Amino acid sequence: MSDPLMSVYPPLEPASLVTRRSRLFPFDRDGLTLTHLGRGAIWLALKALGLGAGTRIAMPAYHCGSEVEAARLAGCEVLFYRVFPTLQADEEDLMRVARQCHATYLISYYGFPMPSLPPGTRVIEDAAHALFSYDGGGAIGSRGDAAIFCPRKSLGVPDGGAVLIRGGSIEATGRPPWKGMARSIASQGMGWAAQSRAGVLRAPATKVFRKVSKTEQAVQQGTLTEVVIGEWDLEVADMESAASKPSRMTEWAVHGADGERIREIRRRNFQILLNSVPEVCPDRFRGLPDGVAPLYFPVRVPERDRTIAELQKRGVRSIEIWPVPHPLLDRARFAELEPLRHQMLALPVHQGLSEWHVEQVAHAAREAITAAHR
Ligand SMILES: Cc1ncc(COP(=O)(O)O)c(C=O)c1O
């Protein structure tokens, strides 16, 4: 019998299609605008704050890249501030760069607290990893002049970003192409079956997944970075399409998410992995502050790519995070981050995983780390 296949992103919970929940931040805000993708939400945030040609924005040297691409296409000049290899912002450098800019962009890594908001500058909070996550000061994403979220990463919906503008809102128009959405919905359904505990569902789904998934093949061929990354060199039209409304399924399903429950399950799953493989978790993440809803379990290992391949053999589809910075970054100036780009990966902790699943992830992680470093 095949093992379950577990991805870092959750499959859609069927219950969210039939249940309406009490709304947790940010879904309790009337001004929240849903978009097709997270970068589209960033695009709208930049527009709403009047950030474009002739403005400067401070952004962290450790980033996914699509946020920088949105700022570049909006016409902003991007100035980078230092992030320590611990994945904490250098707050002194952040303040220094923020003083030269019209706005500052902060990122929550894996749902953990962000740096403090620098005074005297407009702030965009990137809570793409931090849906339903809280720190000592309240909900992540509730303090800036704008905040962006990425429900598609946390909720298993087929697409979806979201943007919140303090004291206002901005409209999304148009819909994403239905063909892409149909593919995404089919892949969500397959993902749900592939991690099912029922073997009759799991075996065929796992087989198909392994056969058709581009990332599965790329991991085996050692070309994952090339397949996953490369989302720069985009055009304004790409951002506009990313800023359209999400699919109707996403629009409906996000309001069925039970944020409190999702946070609790993610925390429990994170803790199980932390107890199992504490030595590979970077120091900063070896402990869950109250309120944090982690998106992933971060792992740092010297043989990252081999570890990802070994994990995949054992049914765990981990991701590299983030292997390539945006080309606007002067990599030599921020050379201290280079080892991270070759060593960080993320394991799943999402709400679709029972304790049984997470024990399997933990077991696979222990074996994969040993096998990759032999
Ligand atoms: C921190 C961060 N911000 C923004 C985004 C953009 O989200 P999307 O890929 O939905 O455009 C991502 C995506 O990976 C991200 O990791």
Side-chain angles (χ1 to χ4, degrees), residues 50-82:
L51 297 164
T55 65
R56 284 185 302 275
I57 183 164
M59 297 188 111
Y62 196 69
H63 50 249
C64 141
S66 54
E67 63 295 70
V68 180
E69 185 65 353
R72 180 188 78 82
L73 284 166
C76 302
E77 185 188 347
V78 179
L79 273 59
F80 292 100
Y81 58 86
R82 207 163 281 286

Coordinates of all heavy atoms in Angstrom, one line a residue, residues 50-82:
G50 N -0.3 55.1 -3.1 CA 0.3 56.0 -4.0 C 1.8 55.8 -4.3 O 2.6 56.7 -4.5
L51 N 2.2 54.5 -4.2 CA 3.6 54.2 -4.3 C 3.9 53.7 -5.8 O 3.4 52.7 -6.2 CB 4.0 53.1 -3.3 CG 3.9 53.5 -1.9 CD1 3.9 52.4 -0.9 CD2 5.0 54.5 -1.5
G52 N 4.6 54.5 -6.5 CA 4.9 54.2 -7.9 C 6.2 55.0 -8.3 O 7.1 55.3 -7.4
A53 N 6.2 55.4 -9.5 CA 7.4 56.1 -10.0 C 7.7 57.3 -9.1 O 6.8 58.0 -8.7 CB 7.2 56.5 -11.5
G54 N 9.0 57.5 -8.8 CA 9.4 58.7 -8.0 C 9.3 58.4 -6.5 O 9.5 59.3 -5.7
T55 N 9.0 57.2 -6.1 CA 8.9 56.9 -4.7 C 9.9 55.7 -4.4 O 10.3 54.9 -5.3 CB 7.5 56.4 -4.2 OG1 7.2 55.2 -4.9 CG2 6.5 57.5 -4.5
R56 N 10.4 55.7 -3.1 CA 11.3 54.7 -2.7 C 10.6 53.8 -1.6 O 9.9 54.3 -0.8 CB 12.6 55.3 -2.1 CG 13.5 55.8 -3.2 CD 14.8 56.4 -2.5 NE 14.5 57.4 -1.5 CZ 14.4 58.7 -1.8 NH1 14.5 59.1 -3.0 NH2 14.1 59.5 -0.8
I57 N 10.9 52.5 -1.7 CA 10.4 51.6 -0.7 C 11.5 50.7 -0.1 O 12.4 50.2 -0.8 CB 9.2 50.7 -1.3 CG1 8.6 49.8 -0.2 CG2 9.7 49.9 -2.5 CD1 7.3 49.2 -0.7
A58 N 11.5 50.6 1.2 CA 12.5 49.7 1.9 C 11.9 48.3 2.0 O 10.8 48.1 2.4 CB 12.7 50.3 3.3
M59 N 12.8 47.4 1.5 CA 12.3 46.0 1.5 C 13.4 45.1 2.1 O 14.6 45.4 2.0 CB 12.0 45.5 0.1 CG 10.8 46.3 -0.5 SD 10.2 45.6 -2.1 CE 8.6 44.9 -1.6
P60 N 13.1 43.9 2.7 CA 14.1 43.1 3.4 C 14.9 42.3 2.3 O 14.4 41.9 1.3 CB 13.2 42.1 4.2 CG 11.9 42.1 3.6 CD 11.7 43.4 2.9
A61 N 16.2 42.2 2.7 CA 17.1 41.5 1.8 C 16.7 40.0 1.6 O 17.2 39.3 0.7 CB 18.5 41.6 2.3
Y62 N 16.0 39.4 2.6 CA 15.5 38.0 2.5 C 14.1 38.1 2.1 O 13.2 38.6 2.9 CB 15.8 37.3 3.8 CG 15.7 35.8 3.6 CD1 16.6 35.1 2.9 CD2 14.6 35.1 4.2 CE1 16.5 33.7 2.8 CE2 14.5 33.7 4.1 CZ 15.5 33.0 3.3 OH 15.4 31.7 3.2
H63 N 13.7 37.6 1.0 CA 12.4 37.8 0.4 C 12.1 36.7 -0.5 O 13.0 36.0 -1.0 CB 12.2 39.2 -0.2 CG 13.3 39.4 -1.2 ND1 14.3 40.4 -1.0 CD2 13.6 38.8 -2.4 CE1 15.2 40.3 -2.0 NE2 14.8 39.4 -2.9
C64 N 10.8 36.6 -0.9 CA 10.4 35.6 -1.9 C 10.7 36.0 -3.3 O 11.1 35.2 -4.1 CB 8.9 35.4 -1.6 SG 7.9 35.1 -3.1
G65 N 10.6 37.3 -3.6 CA 10.9 37.9 -4.9 C 9.7 38.5 -5.6 O 9.8 39.5 -6.2
S66 N 8.6 37.9 -5.4 CA 7.4 38.4 -6.1 C 7.0 39.7 -5.5 O 6.4 40.6 -6.2 CB 6.2 37.4 -6.2 OG 5.9 37.0 -4.9
E67 N 7.2 40.0 -4.2 CA 6.9 41.3 -3.6 C 7.8 42.4 -4.2 O 7.4 43.5 -4.5 CB 7.0 41.3 -2.1 CG 8.3 41.0 -1.4 CD 8.8 39.6 -1.6 OE1 9.3 39.3 -2.7 OE2 8.9 38.8 -0.6
V68 N 9.1 42.0 -4.5 CA 10.0 43.0 -5.0 C 9.7 43.2 -6.5 O 9.7 44.4 -7.0 CB 11.5 42.4 -4.9 CG1 12.5 43.4 -5.5 CG2 11.8 42.2 -3.5
E69 N 9.2 42.2 -7.2 CA 8.8 42.3 -8.6 C 7.6 43.3 -8.7 O 7.5 44.1 -9.6 CB 8.5 41.0 -9.2 CG 8.2 40.9 -10.6 CD 9.4 41.3 -11.6 OE1 10.4 41.8 -11.0 OE2 9.2 41.2 -12.8
A70 N 6.7 43.2 -7.7 CA 5.5 44.0 -7.8 C 5.9 45.5 -7.6 O 5.5 46.4 -8.3 CB 4.5 43.6 -6.7
A71 N 6.9 45.7 -6.7 CA 7.4 47.1 -6.4 C 8.1 47.6 -7.6 O 8.0 48.8 -8.0 CB 8.2 47.1 -5.2
R72 N 8.9 46.8 -8.2 CA 9.7 47.2 -9.4 C 8.7 47.6 -10.6 O 8.8 48.6 -11.2 CB 10.6 46.0 -9.9 CG 11.4 46.4 -11.2 CD 12.1 45.1 -11.7 NE 11.3 44.2 -12.5 CZ 10.9 44.4 -13.7 NH1 11.3 45.4 -14.4 NH2 10.1 43.5 -14.3
L73 N 7.7 46.7 -10.8 CA 6.8 47.0 -11.9 C 5.9 48.2 -11.6 O 5.5 48.9 -12.5 CB 5.9 45.8 -12.1 CG 6.6 44.7 -12.9 CD1 5.8 43.4 -12.8 CD2 6.8 45.1 -14.4
A74 N 5.7 48.5 -10.3 CA 4.9 49.7 -10.0 C 5.8 51.0 -10.2 O 5.2 52.1 -10.2 CB 4.5 49.6 -8.5
G75 N 7.1 50.8 -10.4 CA 7.9 51.9 -10.7 C 8.7 52.4 -9.5 O 9.4 53.4 -9.5
C76 N 8.6 51.7 -8.3 CA 9.2 52.2 -7.1 C 10.7 51.9 -7.2 O 11.1 50.9 -7.8 CB 8.7 51.4 -5.9 SG 7.0 51.5 -5.6
E77 N 11.5 52.7 -6.5 CA 12.9 52.4 -6.3 C 13.0 51.5 -5.1 O 12.5 51.9 -4.0 CB 13.8 53.6 -6.2 CG 15.2 53.4 -6.1 CD 16.1 54.6 -5.8 OE1 15.5 55.7 -5.9 OE2 17.2 54.5 -5.4
V78 N 13.7 50.4 -5.1 CA 13.7 49.5 -4.0 C 15.1 49.6 -3.3 O 16.1 49.4 -3.9 CB 13.5 48.0 -4.4 CG1 13.5 47.1 -3.2 CG2 12.1 47.8 -5.1
L79 N 15.0 49.9 -2.0 CA 16.3 49.9 -1.2 C 16.1 48.8 -0.2 O 15.1 48.7 0.5 CB 16.4 51.3 -0.4 CG 17.1 52.4 -1.1 CD1 16.4 52.8 -2.4 CD2 17.1 53.6 -0.2
F80 N 17.2 48.0 -0.1 CA 17.1 46.8 0.8 C 17.7 47.1 2.2 O 18.7 47.7 2.3 CB 17.8 45.6 0.2 CG 17.1 45.1 -1.1 CD1 17.6 45.5 -2.3 CD2 16.0 44.3 -1.0 CE1 16.9 45.1 -3.5 CE2 15.3 43.9 -2.1 CZ 15.8 44.3 -3.4
Y81 N 17.0 46.5 3.2 CA 17.6 46.5 4.5 C 18.1 45.1 4.9 O 17.6 44.1 4.4 CB 16.7 47.1 5.6 CG 15.3 46.5 5.7 CD1 15.1 45.4 6.6 CD2 14.2 46.9 5.1 CE1 13.9 44.8 6.8 CE2 12.9 46.3 5.2 CZ 12.8 45.2 6.1 OH 11.6 44.7 6.3
R82 N 19.0 45.1 5.9 CA 19.7 43.8 6.2 C 18.8 42.9 7.0 O 18.0 43.4 7.9 CB 20.9 44.2 7.0 CG 22.0 43.2 7.0 CD 23.4 43.8 7.4 NE 24.0 44.7 6.4 CZ 24.6 44.2 5.3 NH1 24.7 42.9 5.1 NH2 25.1 45.0 4.5

